Amino acid sequence: MAKDYATSDKFSVMKSPLYDWHRAVSAKMADFGGWEMPIEYPKGVNGFSGGTLSEHYAVRERVGIFDVSHLGKISVSGAGAKDFVNTMVTNDLAKIAAGSAQYNLFCNHDGGVIDDLIIYEFSEDKIFIIPNAANCEQVFLDLAGKAPSQIVVKNIHQDYAVFAIQGPDSRRVIAKLGLELDLGYMEFTKIALPSFPEFGEIIICRTGYTGEFGYELLPEWDSAEKLWQVLVNEISEFDGRVCGLGARDTLRTEMGYPLHGHELSLEISPVQASVNWAVVYEKDDFVGKRALEKEKQVGPKQISRALKCEDRGIPRAGMKVLNLEGEVIGQVTSGTFSPTLKVGIALALLKPEYKVSGKVQIDVRGRLSNATIVKAPFIPSRVR
Amino acid sequence: MSEVPNELHFTAEHEWVAGTEDPNIYRIGITDFAQSALGDIVYIQLPKKGLQVSTGVICGEIESTKSVSEIYSPLTGEVVRVNESLEAAPERINSDSYGAGWIAEIKITGPLPELMSAEKYRQITA
């Protein structure tokens, strides 16, 4: 049994402003993109009834809060900031206005994905970007290197914390903060809390990574722990849970959402991944456009598909996928036990001829598990 | 702190061994420390009844939401009983690793291997 335990003491570099809080409640910690972050909270210690399953169900049925402060933050400001950023990403920022956010891919000239990110438009001259923790520096360097002289790009990774409030009761948690927000999906505001003006203004966006109705809150770094404590107290009324990145991963996998480094990478283009919807080919030039157009025309050599197991196997990243004749046709990029469906589920890159409702097999450590190709998400989205 | 009952014996692979009424039959399972480290257990592949095992060989698998771990036999002998209730309710290993979460019973052939006392096991998991 000795091998697979997550340990917290190696390679730790960056710390969330809640690091001491997580340690004090005995969260299980692990490295995420260079940040030491909570995987799950304990069962039966300090009043917690956590664990990945319990945290997952809380989000699907009630509400859960996550510390995702490891996510990157970049500001781009100056005349024409929006137009400049729009040349660097695949989606079209012209489709949004101030006060809205948009999912985007940040590609290289070969169409490889440097990162996927959420872009917030404060104004045409002020853009705020949330990349993944591990890719923040690279995205910052690319933007800073290409920005015209009147535009200032700043890596402000540690100016803000990021908290996600997710689940059907998240609206009530926001109401308890004294806020009456009428934000549509992917809309945001920057506002102070009436009861806690001393926390300063908080960016609040109707977004998330779980498939449930929810918000992401960005308080200033120095106010983060105080706001967190307020949220922890408030969710108790709804039998909510503090949730770790373990539950975040099972929740996003059930939605078929890509995770950079798994479903998207420098080698896995948006055409192959399930995010071609976030590439606007009609847009004027953007980095990677020609390569992506060409790949789309020729047809991708592999396509990301969702697989649902029919027996008790649990797929994991890297496992081979075979057709019924036993030929290797691809590999799993993310796999887990689905707490909602109670079976193994996977996202896998397969040869393009294998389509929805086809039957495949997954090599689970030498045993073949039967699976069906299904249409993602595995369970219906309730983000709106 | 994880629970370590005084009357049990332990292995470095975080398994426990307990005597039964039959002096040749021992019950095995994984420790509270191990279940806590694994997290929510969602699947177990139990050793097969009748399987001949020897100390240190892999005789099953335990899978949690985040990872899989192998079960190493702490003893040499024959698997005479397995806790089949775990197939439908593997979470019993989380909730009661020394009781309802027991995994198998092994009838030993030959002497017991050297195992750790509770005190020693507490030291290595402290």
Side-chain angles (χ1 to χ4, degrees):
Chain A
M1 297 292 309
K3 287 178 296 188
D4 291 324
Y5 302 140
T7 53
S8 52
D9 295 319
K10 286 179 274 181
F11 315 119
S12 65
V13 245
M14 307 296 281
K15 288 173 178 147
S16 148
L18 298 182
Y19 177 81
D20 291 339
W21 190 91
H22 298 313
R23 294 303 295 251
V25 301
S26 308
K28 227 177 269 174
M29 309 288 282
D31 177 84
F32 267 81
W35 289 64
E36 194 175 338
M37 298 299 291
I39 301 284
E40 63 177 11
Y41 295 85
K43 304 169 197 291
V45 180
N46 302 322
F48 277 80
S49 52
T52 297
L53 292 180
S54 164
E55 295 164 17
H56 181 108
Y57 295 133
V59 171
R60 288 275 179 256
E61 292 159 15
R62 303 180 305 278
V63 63
I65 56 172
F66 301 75
D67 175 19
V68 286
S69 299
H70 61 301
L71 292 174
K73 299 109 204 166
I74 294 169
S75 70
V76 184
S77 44
K82 179 179 177 178
D83 289 342
F84 161 64
V85 173
N86 207 20
T87 65
M88 301 289 286
V89 295
T90 61
N91 208 334
D92 190 359
L93 293 176
K95 291 179 178 173
I96 63 165
S100 282
Q102 188 185 61
Y103 178 76
N104 267 281
L105 301 159
F106 192 91
C107 290
N108 62 22
H109 285 291
D110 300 325
V113 182
I114 294 167
D115 201 10
D116 60 338
L117 23 89
I118 304 286
I119 298 179
Y120 289 57
E121 179 182 341
F122 279 88
S123 73
E124 297 205 338
D125 301 334
K126 191 178 172 198
I127 297 292
F128 182 80
I129 302 176
I130 305 209
N132 284 292
N135 303 323
C136 184
E137 184 71 13
Q138 187 60 53
V139 172
F140 162 70
L141 290 172
D142 279 18
L143 286 169
K146 288 183 181 149
S149 58
Q150 81 279 10
I151 291 175
V152 179
V153 183
K154 285 187 189 162
N155 184 347
I156 51 170
H157 209 142
Q158 295 183 73
D159 282 13
Y160 294 92
V162 186
F163 301 157
I165 306 177
Q166 302 280 299
D169 286 334
S170 54
R171 194 196 304 261
R172 296 162 75 192
V173 174
I174 289 290
K176 288 209 67 184
L177 289 172
L179 296 174
E180 283 183 37
L181 298 180
D182 187 23
L183 297 172
Y185 185 58
M186 296 299 275
E187 289 176 0
F188 73 92
T189 186
K190 190 171 183 182
I191 192 168
L193 301 182
S195 339
F196 302 98
E198 68 274 22
F199 293 177
E201 289 194 321
I202 298 164
I203 302 168
I204 303 180
C205 187
R206 271 270 292 106
T207 182
Y209 196 43
T210 63
E212 296 298 328
F213 188 96
Y215 302 84
E216 289 190 356
L217 275 60
L218 286 87
E220 286 171 14
W221 193 266
D222 294 337
S223 303
E225 190 170 353
K226 284 173 280 184
L227 174 62
W228 182 256
Q229 197 56 62
V230 170
L231 294 173
V232 169
N233 293 339
E234 287 192 349
I235 61 168
S236 64
E237 184 179 322
F238 306 106
D239 194 23
R241 294 283 182 279
V242 177
C243 302
L245 299 182
R248 194 165 186 257
D249 195 56
T250 53
L251 289 158
R252 74 93 192 167
T253 306
E254 285 186 341
M255 300 316 297
Y257 292 160
L259 173 63
H260 192 270
H262 289 254
E263 285 72 39
L264 293 168
S265 71
L266 291 175
E267 287 76 41
I268 308 170
S269 76
V271 182
Q272 300 167 26
S274 52
V275 290
N276 213 20
W277 63 269
V279 184
V280 177
Y281 294 95
E282 299 75 35
K283 193 172 83 168
D284 286 348
D285 205 24
F286 60 88
V287 178
K289 183 180 179 183
R290 285 177 63 185
L292 293 175
E293 274 177 341
K294 192 175 166 201
E295 186 179 9
K296 196 176 170 224
Q297 207 168 31
V298 177
K301 64 179 194 299
Q302 52 185 7
I303 290 181
S304 185
R305 299 284 186 196
L307 308 181
K308 186 172 163 185
C309 291
E310 287 163 0
D311 47 35
R312 300 187 65 195
I314 300 175
R316 302 288 179 183
M319 288 179 176
K320 289 190 169 66
V321 181
L322 296 82
N323 63 16
L324 298 183
E325 287 73 49
E327 295 161 333
V328 175
I329 57 165
Q331 68 167 355
V332 173
T333 52
S334 289
T336 189
F337 173 79
S338 162
T340 305
L341 300 175
K342 303 201 177 357
V343 292
I345 57 171
L347 301 174
L349 280 169
L350 303 185
K351 290 183 179 172
E353 60 266 35
Y354 294 90
K355 301 207 164 99
V356 171
S357 78
K359 304 282 182 190
V360 298
Q361 307 177 90
I362 302 169
D363 183 346
V364 180
R365 294 178 300 281
R367 282 192 308 273
L368 292 178
S369 175
N370 295 309
T372 304
I373 305 174
V374 298
K375 194 170 170 357
F378 291 95
I379 60 167
S381 167
R382 299 196 292 182
V383 295
R384 289 166 202 274
Chain B
M1 277 307 294
S2 64
E3 190 194 338
V4 183
N6 282 326
E7 65 277 18
L8 302 183
H9 293 85
F10 299 89
T11 72
E13 282 79 35
H14 305 284
E15 277 135 13
W16 56 261
V17 174
T20 64
E21 285 176 2
D22 184 328
N24 290 317
I25 295 179
Y26 290 82
R27 181 170 276 200
I28 68 163
I30 70 165
T31 66
D32 185 39
F33 176 88
Q35 71 75 20
S36 169
L38 278 168
D40 287 313
I41 293 166
V42 294
Y43 174 69
I44 182 164
Q45 194 202 352
L46 291 161
K48 293 233 167 20
K49 199 172 156 184
L51 184 73
Q52 300 290 328
V53 292
S54 48
T55 301
V57 305
I58 295 161
C59 63
E61 265 178 15
I62 295 182
E63 194 147 8
S64 71
T65 49
K66 62 173 187 275
S67 67
V68 61
S69 275
E70 282 148 341
I71 305 169
Y72 297 89
S73 176
L75 306 170
T76 297
E78 181 189 338
V79 176
V80 292
R81 258 182 96 198
V82 295
N83 185 359
E84 283 160 6
S85 78
L86 295 180
E87 286 184 344
E91 67 276 9
R92 284 183 186 168
I93 300 172
N94 290 120
S95 57
D96 191 8
S97 62
Y98 298 116
W102 67 278
I103 291 171
E105 289 182 356
I106 296 173
K107 184 171 190 176
I108 58 166
T109 48
L112 265 187
E114 200 172 312
L115 296 165
M116 269 183 259
S117 66
E119 189 185 356
K120 181 82 193 298
Y121 185 69
R122 275 187 206 109
Q123 283 168 15
I124 70 156
T125 54

